[in-house]
């Protein structure tokens, strides 16, 4: 599915054009805040953007629909935190804080964190930086004047309010504000618009002596054996999917589990999201019953399922540069680079019948992400950061991981603060003062690095260089 600027943003269901409509009366909407930088969404990209903007002296407000910061880390119970190595600045500050709190631990080749501590630490960091944030508030529309985004319409228990800003950063994951502002976007795989499956993460306790390094294939074999013995449950995936995944958390005996998959869901339709949530939660409970039949897991218990189902893929906002599969497989560098990625191409099959995992086919080389991919085409005053930046379905399957989303967020936050302070459009920073300012703050970029200095997240493989 694609949308061009000429189409009216908003409708999310193909059935919309056939439905009856009501006409709302014009409204006078009170202005609740007027800030330098407005950040939509407080997930990995959003908190990094808000912290970077606030630490750079901008009056910063972040609007978050849930009652916690962290997005998929907290409301989504996602672990581990991939591709955070060498990103520097805000990313390193977060790692240092989690480490000091005993809430960050090495697991396999990467790291996991404690979800509750993450919520607390993010609130502390935002408070210390002087950033303001509002919970339980949803951005429902954009304020646009002559092609320049001037702010957002926010709905909450306080009603409908306007927030004005010199620069807006859309970190909603789904590109909500950019789409409402009229930005073009793509959704799903080219050709059929199908998106990767959704997954509800859940946390468990009672791991006993379950081995940390046990691969998901071995675990799957144990589960299959238990299933055949009990004959009670059918798993919604085959062995080729390489799941379930038991991810040890810092608290001994606890883990996050990545196992459920719901296919063919449109993340922009609440009816479909509800169906997927109910189905995934059912799968989680059924899976734990089976897992209890495997060695060391007899005492396993779900402590919580995620408040929000994990959405891998929604809108990819069309920007001034579209990051492609060729870019990430060739390890491309850019003059206007703002961060980098090393994660493999992890396309979870959009069709459960697909048997081959993409990361086995295409090797990713450490690649850079340009500022232009964070700048929606045809609009001023707006940046995007996180999984909704401009890229193809395949490239997105690498850059969507949270360490890289934070890298984009911190760059977008600094760009927004600089643009607001100078009263210039963020696009004017392409090829200009942004990169030196990022390097000055300790942001890691590939340009200054030799291959052997880059520690990546290639599923534990050694990095391969041409
Ligand atoms: C099941 C699953 C497993 C994954 N596995 C990993 C993994 O192991 N490691 C890893 O690093 N990454 C993983 N990823 C990828 C990663 O989680 C996401 O791509 C990443 O969270 C994107 O970050 P973000 O900040 O762009 O979006 P999000 O984390 O989605 O954050 C967006 C935030 O915006 C808020 N928001 C959205 N719309 C609005 C609105 N209109 N108004 C106000 N607030 C709004 C949301 O509540 C949320 O807090 C996984 C993703 C999924 C779904």
């Amino acid at each position: 599915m694609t949308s061009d600027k000429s189409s009216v943003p908003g409708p999310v269901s193909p059935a919309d054009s056939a439905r009856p409509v009501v006409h709302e009366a014009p409204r006078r909407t009170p202005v609740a805040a007027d800030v330098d930088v407005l950040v939509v969404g407080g997930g990995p990209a959003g908190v990094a953007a808000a912290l970077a903007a606030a630490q750079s002296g901008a009056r910063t407000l972040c609007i978050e629909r849930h009652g916690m910061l962290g997005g998929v880390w907290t409301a989504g119970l996602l672990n581990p935190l991939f591709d955070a190595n060498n990103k520097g600045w805000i990313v390193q500050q977060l790692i240092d804080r989690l480490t000091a709190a005993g809430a960050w631990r090495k697991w396999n080749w990467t790291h996991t964190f404690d979800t509750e501590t993450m919520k607390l630490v993010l609130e502390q960091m935002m408070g210390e930086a002087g950033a303001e944030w509002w919970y339980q508030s949803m951005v429902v529309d954009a304020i646009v004047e002559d092609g320049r985004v001037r702010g957002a319409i926010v709905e909450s228990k306080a009603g409908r309010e306007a927030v004005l800003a010199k620069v807006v950063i859309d970190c909603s994951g789904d590109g909500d504000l950019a789409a409402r502002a009229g930005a073009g976007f793509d959704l799903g795989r080219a050709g059929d618009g199908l998106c990767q499956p959704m997954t509800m993460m859940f946390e468990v306790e009672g791991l006993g002596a379950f081995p940390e390094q046990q691969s998901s294939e071995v675990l799957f074999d144990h589960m299959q054996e238990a299933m055949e013995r009990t004959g009670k449950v059918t798993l919604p995936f085959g062995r080729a999917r390489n799941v379930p995944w038991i991810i040890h958390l810092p608290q001994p005996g606890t883990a996050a589990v990545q196992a459920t998959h719901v296919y063919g869901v449109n993340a922009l339709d609440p009816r479909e999201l509800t169906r997927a949530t109910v189905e995934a939660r059912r799968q989680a409970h059924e899976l734990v019953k089976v897992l209890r039949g495997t060695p060391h897991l007899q005492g396993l218990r779900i402590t919580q399922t995620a408040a929000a189902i994990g959405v891998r893929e929604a809108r990819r906002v069309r920007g001034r540069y579209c990051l492609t599969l060729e870019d990430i497989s060739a390890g491309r560098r850019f003059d206007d680079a703002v961060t980098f990625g090393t994660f493999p191409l992890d396309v979870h099959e959009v069709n459960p019948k697909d048997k081959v995992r993409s990361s086995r086919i295409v090797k990713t080389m450490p690649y850079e992400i340009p500022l232009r991919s964070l700048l929606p085409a045809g609009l001023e005053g707006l940046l995007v950061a996180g999984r909704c930046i401009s890229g193809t379905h395949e490239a997105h399957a690498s850059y969507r991981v949270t360490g890289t989303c934070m890298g984009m967020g911190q760059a977008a936050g600094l760009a927004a603060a600089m643009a607001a302070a100078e009263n210039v459009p963020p696009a004017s920073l392409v090829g200009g003062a942004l990169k030196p300012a990022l390097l000055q703050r300790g942001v890691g970029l590939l340009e200054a690095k030799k291959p052997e200095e880059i520690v990546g997240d290639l599923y534990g493989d050694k990095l391969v260089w041409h």
Side-chain angles (χ1 to χ4, degrees):
M1 175 182 162
T2 60
S3 163
D4 291 307
K5 275 192 68 185
S6 53
S7 66
V8 180
V12 292
S13 160
D16 273 3
S17 56
R19 292 195 292 201
V21 295
V22 295
H23 293 277
E24 296 182 73
R27 286 182 270 208
R28 286 163 58 87
T29 307
V31 174
D34 190 346
V35 294
D36 294 328
V37 177
L38 170 64
V39 179
V40 180
V47 283
L51 286 168
Q55 288 186 15
S56 305
R59 291 172 302 120
T60 304
L61 172 61
C62 176
I63 306 289
E64 169 54 48
R65 68 180 157 156
H66 292 304
M68 65 194 87
L69 296 168
V72 84
W73 283 330
T74 51
L77 298 183
L78 170 89
N79 252 296
L81 203 166
F82 283 141
D83 220 349
N85 286 331
N86 300 317
K87 294 285 194 303
W89 197 19
I90 307 291
V91 187
Q92 195 54 49
Q93 289 176 8
L94 177 62
I95 292 171
D96 292 347
R97 294 292 284 253
L98 291 169
T99 305
W104 179 252
R105 66 162 286 191
K106 188 151 175 50
W107 177 75
N108 278 323
W109 70 92
T110 183
H111 288 88
T112 62
F113 58 86
D114 178 71
T115 317
E116 272 307 308
T117 311
M118 177 69 94
K119 292 179 198 169
L120 188 67
V121 160
L122 291 176
E123 289 176 348
Q124 288 168 345
M125 290 176 73
M126 289 278 280
E128 288 163 18
E132 189 180 347
W133 69 100
W134 299 350
Y135 284 145
Q136 316 287 3
S137 302
M138 179 98 177
V139 167
V140 295
D141 212 344
I143 304 168
V144 186
E145 282 171 12
D146 300 326
R148 180 180 162 209
V149 175
R150 286 286 290 115
I153 301 293
V154 179
E155 289 202 346
S156 69
K157 291 283 185 185
R160 193 171 162 94
E161 298 176 303
V163 174
L164 301 178
K166 289 183 179 153
V167 181
V168 177
I169 313 175
D170 186 341
C171 297
S172 64
D174 301 334
D176 285 2
L177 180 122
R180 300 281 185 261
F185 63 84
D186 296 287
L187 184 64
R189 185 165 72 173
D192 58 17
L194 285 175
C195 292
Q196 295 178 60
M198 296 187 184
T199 291
M200 175 172 286
M201 299 289 298
F202 56 98
E203 289 188 356
V204 291
E205 63 179 12
L207 280 181
F210 181 75
E212 296 226 348
Q213 305 299 329
Q214 183 142 40
S215 77
S216 54
E217 284 99 335
V218 173
L219 182 56
F220 186 87
D221 289 343
H222 285 314
M223 290 177 71
Q224 195 133 29
E225 191 274 318
M227 269 188 310
E228 281 161 13
R229 203 165 5 91
T230 62
K232 283 204 184 128
V233 191
T234 316
L235 291 180
F237 43 73
R239 192 174 193 278
R241 263 267 17 103
N242 216 12
V243 288
W245 226 35
I246 294 200
I247 301 154
H248 286 74
L249 298 177
Q251 188 69 22
T254 67
V257 183
Q258 206 252 101
T260 66
H261 272 101
V262 186
Y263 293 87
V265 188
N266 178 357
L268 306 179
D269 186 332
R271 290 150 291 247
E272 292 196 30
L273 279 169
T274 304
R275 173 181 69 76
T277 301
V278 171
E279 166 57 17
R281 191 164 282 129
R282 184 195 69 75
Q283 287 181 13
H285 284 272
E286 289 294 301
L287 277 159
V288 167
K289 280 191 215 158
V290 177
L291 283 167
R292 285 200 202 108
T294 65
H296 309 298
L297 296 181
Q298 290 79 2
L300 203 67
R301 191 182 81 84
I302 294 184
T303 49
Q304 55 174 331
T305 54
I309 192 166
V311 173
R312 287 193 174 77
E313 199 178 358
R315 295 187 192 95
R316 303 187 310 277
V317 176
R318 289 197 192 149
R320 297 170 198 218
Y321 184 84
C322 178
L323 206 66
T324 65
L325 173 62
E326 291 70 36
D327 292 332
I328 68 164
S329 56
R332 188 151 175 210
R333 312 289 176 99
F334 295 92
D335 288 342
D336 59 333
V338 292
T339 189
F340 66 93
T342 71
F343 197 70
L345 188 76
D346 186 22
V347 182
H348 288 236
E349 297 79 354
V350 299
N351 184 334
K353 295 201 175 95
D354 295 348
K355 289 266 185 276
V356 185
R357 202 180 170 102
S358 55
S359 50
R360 302 269 156 79
I361 307 169
V362 182
K363 263 277 188 248
T364 308
M365 296 280 289
Y367 61 92
E368 290 183 327
I369 297 176
L371 177 61
R372 284 165 297 149
S373 291
L374 278 55
L375 289 165
L379 284 166
E380 296 295 347
L382 177 64
L383 289 143
V384 293
R387 64 178 162 83
C388 57
I389 66 158
S390 183
T392 62
H393 170 75
E394 292 77 18
H396 161 278
S398 168
Y399 64 66
R400 71 185 158 85
V401 293
T402 53
T404 307
C405 287
M406 280 196 89
M408 300 175 205
Q410 66 188 5
L414 178 58
M418 288 170 69
E422 299 287 323
N423 220 3
V424 296
S428 69
L429 296 168
V430 173
L434 181 61
K435 196 191 255 188
L438 285 167
L439 291 169
Q440 197 188 14
R441 284 162 177 78
V443 166
L445 292 174
L446 293 181
E447 57 175 11
K449 296 215 165 38
K450 297 189 187 114
E452 59 273 20
E453 290 172 340
I454 299 168
V455 181
D457 239 346
L458 298 185
Y459 280 152
D461 294 357
K462 282 212 161 70
L463 293 178
V464 184
W465 289 80
H466 289 309

